[in-house]
Amino acid sequence: MPPTDLSLRDLRSFLAVVDEGTFTDAAIALRTTQASVSRHVGALEQALGVRLLQRGGRVVTLTVAGRRVVAYARRLQDEAAGLVRAAQDEGGEVRVGFAWAALGMHTATVQREWARRHPGSELTFVNSTTRFAGLTEGIAEVAVVRRDPGVSQLASAVLGHEERMAALPVEHELARRRSLRMADYAGQTVALDVATGTTTPDLWTPQQAPGSYREVRGTDEWLTAIAAGRAIGLTSQATAAQYSRTGVVFRRVRDAPTVAVHLIWWRQDPPAWLDELVAVIRETYARTA
């Protein structure tokens, strides 16, 4: 008989009779009527084409076929319960993708606050140096990005804003300053992370424009080029908080536009915990604004 003819309610009633010993006690355990239990057990027997229980007498017993079936019935019931938990469970691991820097200096604070509010649930940040930070690859349920996704299938929420920082070789003349302006980049070679970076040439006016650009892919390659003295950089303050590289120093750029930090997710499939996660992160950013 095909599995589509089997009902979980039928299995539950059958196992309740086996465990409780009578239809009456099974009905009490399931908080239903004896007639309902009898009907579901009968439906299961009809679907399987065999008698599973010996009626008569004070206690119901399993037939030979019933003894063969009971272990499978328990397994199916457990699998169904696991399916429900997988679909509805808000605990366990919450996976947030990121291409670089996660939430910067806020990362650990948000993780601790999530754990406080959701004991037994772990907020995990997973790295993927792709445009959508692991969301489209399926390794994360939501992702932190610092560019508007611009894709109709994805929804986004702004979590907060971060200042921009200059990244400089330690021996560079600008590294001696406590802070910079955008005009200080004029004539310099600037490293651009073309994969997931937030820096683009249109951030500068023609009068402030760097002399040239050096394209790199990923934060590690970006930092390596700067440490080697081949370029300077402009980045979010999250980079300065999360990355330390020998030979590289960070300085605030006073007049640079801030970077918007976005959380993105599939528009048609938002996680059940989405609103609370957005709220926790926004509260954390607001405290340091």
Side-chain angles (χ1 to χ4, degrees), residues 12-202:
R12 192 179 304 117
S13 294
F14 166 62
L15 291 174
V17 174
V18 172
D19 293 337
E20 301 299 327
T22 69
F23 282 83
T24 300
D25 290 338
I28 294 172
L30 295 175
R31 297 183 180 180
T32 187
T33 64
Q34 181 177 337
S36 175
V37 173
S38 181
R39 184 169 61 253
H40 284 298
V41 172
L44 178 62
E45 290 177 324
Q46 184 176 358
L48 295 175
V50 293
R51 178 72 69 177
L52 300 174
L53 297 172
Q54 291 285 5
R55 279 81 163 171
R58 197 174 65 85
V59 177
V60 177
T61 59
L62 287 166
T63 64
V64 173
R67 288 196 294 272
R68 290 197 303 266
V69 165
V70 69
Y72 290 97
R74 293 194 193 281
R75 196 175 308 148
L76 285 172
Q77 183 172 254
D78 290 343
E79 290 292 335
L83 178 64
V84 172
R85 286 194 300 272
Q88 298 181 350
D89 186 12
E90 297 183 21
E93 187 178 39
V94 173
R95 296 173 67 82
V96 181
F98 72 100
W100 48 272
L103 297 172
M105 65 180 180
H106 304 302
T107 305
T109 301
V110 168
Q111 287 177 305
R112 287 193 295 268
E113 179 60 18
W114 185 264
R116 186 187 70 79
R117 298 190 188 191
H118 298 272
S121 176
E122 183 177 357
L123 185 64
T124 302
F125 287 86
V126 292
N127 182 235
S128 175
T129 55
T130 60
R131 180 183 175 190
F132 301 119
L135 181 64
T136 53
E137 295 90 336
I139 66 172
E141 298 154 286
V142 296
V144 175
V145 296
R146 289 173 174 83
R147 291 180 179 177
D148 190 318
V151 176
S152 61
Q153 295 96 324
L154 300 180
S156 69
V158 175
L159 303 172
H161 291 81
E162 298 168 345
E163 292 186 335
R164 292 184 192 262
M165 306 285 287
L168 306 161
V170 291
E171 70 277 6
H172 198 284
E173 60 180 355
L174 294 176
R176 294 194 291 269
R177 301 187 187 181
R178 297 183 62 180
S179 63
L180 277 67
R181 293 186 178 276
M182 292 295 283
D184 293 323
Y185 283 84
Q188 301 286 339
T189 298
V190 173
L192 297 183
D193 177 0
V194 295
T196 60
T198 59
T199 303
T200 54
D202 59 9

Side-chain angles (χ1 to χ4, degrees), residues 203-227:
L203 289 173
W204 287 273
T205 66
Q207 295 75 25
Q208 301 169 333
S212 62
Y213 299 98
R214 185 183 187 91
E215 292 189 354
V216 298
R217 299 189 69 85
T219 305
D220 189 64
E221 189 175 329
W222 181 82
L223 286 167
T224 299
I226 295 169

